[in-house]
Amino acid sequence: MSKTVGLDKTGQLSPAPDPSRWKALAFIALAQLMVVLDATIVNIALPSAQHALHISDANKQWVITAYALAFGGLLLFGGRIADLWGRKRTFVVGLLGFAAASALGGAATGEAMLLGSRALQGAFGALLAPAALSLLAVMFTDAKERAKAFGIYGAIAGGGGAVGLILGGFLTEYLNWRWTFFVNIPFAIVAALGAFLVIREPSGTRNRSPLDVPGVILSTTGLVALVYGFTRAESAGWSDALTISMFIASAVLLAAFVTIEAKVRHPLLPLRVVTNRNRGGVYLSLGLAVIAMFGLFLFLTYYLQVVKGFSPVKTGFAFLPMIAGMITGSTQIGARLMTRVPPRLLMAPGFLTAAVGMLLLTRLDIDTSYAGVILPAQILLGLGMGTAFMPAMSLATIGVEPRDAGVASAMVNTSQQVGGAIGTALLNTIAASATTAYVTGHMALGATNPELLKLQAMVHGFTAAIWWAVGILATAAVIAATLINTGRPGGSSVSGSSTGEDIEDEVRIPVVAH
């Protein structure tokens, strides 16, 4: 009986790939879907939960913010724990903890119980998300197989938020808001059982160095301050004293974190992970793209429900073309071309295609046709983002040392989480300012038809913010084209890489197994 093994960079025989890796991918993908859709599924259910639990308008934002703060603040710590404990163990613990937190949220009898459950969901999600991505990174090393695996993962990472809107609308309208929490439990249990039975983490990939406690404290508090600053800016304004204080504190804490990481023997985030120009380009361009996408989800949801009068379920289904585009772009374009062309030739055109789709949405008006404008815009957005996300997810962990896979994966999720917080706050603030300016300039219409003025001002605010989203996506394309210079996987690298960690040709030889 023969099996195939490879030669690593030193010319030594490397182990044959795990035969259960494709089964493992199914459970990893299921867990990732649960985490990503949970970022949006609660949004549609929030008005119902607020009414049922008597949550004040001032505190309702904390249902979203509590999750974002815990998730965003603890991601680097979660990635390091995955490297230390082992990704499989961290993955299963994260799933079971997420299920317990979801059960607590669904059974909430008051505001404090709901907010606490959301913070716990974020904390366990911060364990789960980097463990999931780093498992893929260490289990799929063949270039073609990696392309397929990350194609599936990229489609879920890009489209999960829109799936959350559909599922949230359906559960809220036909069951009740509590099921937006309870639905996570079967997802988590199935994924945890599957992971326990089929995942076999490669040996020798853990990082058993002592935990960098100062790094954990500085990174967690710095990221929490940053996410909270952007979240508060949305409600209190950019000139609010506490908002400004949060940004200053974040800058000081994160600067101290970088200084500490450069000096300590066993850093939480080895700077080699982010100083590589290709990975740095991925983190930056991906974060910018998420800024644009999260703003779009918010604006289109309000436009379809408030302006067009769609029900929650109809609104969710209205996002289906974008999901289909993301799946197609990721699995049929990105995955098929990833081993044939350099990643930048997928990422830059992908972001530009998404920018064209976003550009179409600047034509929104109160009587805009869904089929004529919104449908083609969503298809272009989905195709572009799916094509770009897939190589980005793979490139973010490729070439990294196995012992750093968890923290490198955490950086991907951190860029997305921070990008989502920035996108929601920044674009919503731009939209609100443009709406106010429109109302001020059209007071005569308000005197004769105040409802029409309200809708026109709202749409004007959306389109003003969407113009910014177009520019942000174009910037992401430029960064991807200029910073990312690695060659295609399985091919020769482009010269000029800053660290020499680019992908090399993979050699495979048959070996007889005794």
Side-chain angles (χ1 to χ4, degrees):
M1 179 181 178
S2 67
K3 61 182 180 179
T4 301
V5 299
L7 293 180
D8 60 20
K9 293 181 181 181
T10 64
Q12 301 298 313
L13 292 179
S14 60
D18 186 347
S20 63
R21 63 195 179 282
W22 291 107
K23 294 179 183 177
L25 172 62
F27 298 112
I28 293 170
L30 181 64
Q32 175 66 12
L33 176 61
M34 180 188 71
V35 171
V36 174
L37 67 82
D38 206 73
T40 55
I41 192 172
V42 176
N43 290 20
I44 288 181
L46 182 56
S48 300
Q50 180 186 359
H51 176 74
L53 300 180
H54 308 292
I55 301 173
S56 67
D57 285 336
N59 288 340
K60 69 177 182 180
Q61 66 163 334
W62 282 100
V63 177
I64 307 300
T65 304
Y67 180 87
L69 290 179
F71 189 63
L74 293 171
L75 270 168
L76 285 177
F77 177 60
R80 179 64 181 88
I81 289 296
D83 289 334
L84 181 64
W85 283 1
R87 287 98 194 181
K88 177 180 176 178
R89 180 185 300 174
T90 306
F91 184 70
V92 172
V93 169
L95 282 166
L96 296 178
F98 202 95
S102 298
L104 186 67
T109 56
E111 179 180 314
M113 190 172 174
L114 183 67
L115 297 182
S117 72
R118 287 291 283 166
L120 281 174
Q121 279 185 318
F124 283 107
L127 280 179
L128 174 59
L133 184 56
S134 58
L135 277 170
L136 288 189
V138 298
M139 292 178 73
F140 290 90
T141 54
D142 175 77
K144 291 184 178 179
E145 289 192 350
R146 187 181 179 94
K148 292 177 183 177
F150 277 88
I152 295 169
Y153 188 90
I156 291 171
V163 174
L165 295 172
I166 295 175
L167 191 56
F170 179 85
L171 293 172
T172 303
E173 189 162 329
Y174 293 110
L175 294 172
N176 64 53
W177 66 270
R178 295 183 184 277
W179 282 96
T180 60
F181 288 88
F182 290 145
V183 72
N184 292 322
I185 298 173
F187 276 102
I189 291 175
V190 170
L193 285 174
F196 182 78
L197 293 173
V198 306
I199 289 180
R200 301 288 181 269
E201 187 176 354
S203 60
T205 59
R206 289 194 193 181
N207 183 348
R208 300 181 185 274
S209 303
L211 189 62
D212 172 21
V213 176
V216 170
I217 295 171
L218 289 171
S219 67
T220 301
T221 53
L223 288 172
V224 165
L226 181 63
V227 173
Y228 181 64
F230 278 106
T231 304
R232 182 172 176 82
E234 184 182 358
S235 58
W238 296 93
S239 60
D240 174 72
L242 185 55
T243 301
I244 295 172
S245 298
M246 286 296 103
F247 286 135
I248 294 173
S250 173
V252 172
L253 290 165
L254 293 178
F257 171 68
V258 172
T259 302
I260 291 290
E261 298 308 277
K263 296 180 179 179
V264 297
R265 185 176 180 184
H266 302 294
L268 173 70
L269 175 63
L271 296 184
R272 60 180 175 269
V273 171
V274 292
T275 53
N276 174 277
R277 66 178 293 166
N278 291 292
R279 282 194 293 273
V282 166
Y283 299 145
L284 186 56
S285 61
L286 203 57
L288 287 171
V290 171
I291 289 176
M293 289 301 294
F294 264 67
L296 174 70
F297 287 150
L298 178 69
F299 298 144
L300 264 190
T301 299
Y302 272 92
Y303 176 80
L304 293 172
Q305 289 195 44
V306 177
V307 180
K308 306 298 283 186
F310 283 21
S311 68
V313 170
K314 190 176 180 180
T315 299
F317 278 104
F319 281 95
L320 273 178
M322 188 186 301
I323 298 173
M326 285 182 176
I327 292 172
T328 302
S330 186
T331 61
Q332 301 304 311
I333 300 176
R336 290 178 182 273
L337 294 180
M338 182 180 161
T339 57
R340 301 178 185 179
V341 300
R344 69 181 183 279
L345 297 185
L346 290 173
M347 290 180 64
F351 288 138
L352 284 178
T353 302
V356 172
M358 196 74 78
L359 186 63
L360 283 179
L361 292 175
T362 60
R363 298 173 53 196
L364 284 181
D365 204 342
I366 58 174
D367 57 354
T368 295
S369 163
Y370 176 85
V373 175
I374 299 174
L375 176 62
Q378 286 200 48
I379 292 173
L380 287 172
L381 278 160
L383 285 172
M385 294 300 284
T387 301
F389 263 63
M390 187 263 142
M393 290 292 179
S394 177
L395 190 59
T397 54
I398 208 162
V400 75
E401 296 179 29
R403 62 196 175 102
D404 296 333
V407 75
S409 302
M411 275 302 301
V412 180
N413 288 282
T414 300
S415 67
Q416 289 180 287
Q417 185 65 26
V418 173
I422 294 172
T424 303
L426 176 63
L427 297 182
N428 200 43
T429 303
I430 293 169
S433 299
T435 298
T436 302
Y438 188 91
V439 170
T440 303
H442 296 77
M443 295 300 292
L445 176 60
T448 58
N449 195 335
E451 187 62 28
L452 178 62
L453 175 61
K454 176 184 175 182
L455 294 178
Q456 287 182 340
M458 181 185 296
V459 175
H460 175 77
F462 293 165
T463 55
I466 289 171
W467 273 110
W468 279 78
V470 172
I472 291 169
L473 281 171
T475 303
V478 171
I479 290 171
T482 54
L483 280 186
I484 297 172
N485 70 342
T486 185
R488 63 181 177 84
S492 57
S493 302
V494 175
S495 61
S497 173
S498 61
T499 66
E501 290 180 335
D502 296 296
I503 311 154
E504 298 182 2
D505 290 322
E506 187 169 89
V507 183
R508 293 204 170 272
I509 56 175
V511 177
V512 176
H514 298 287

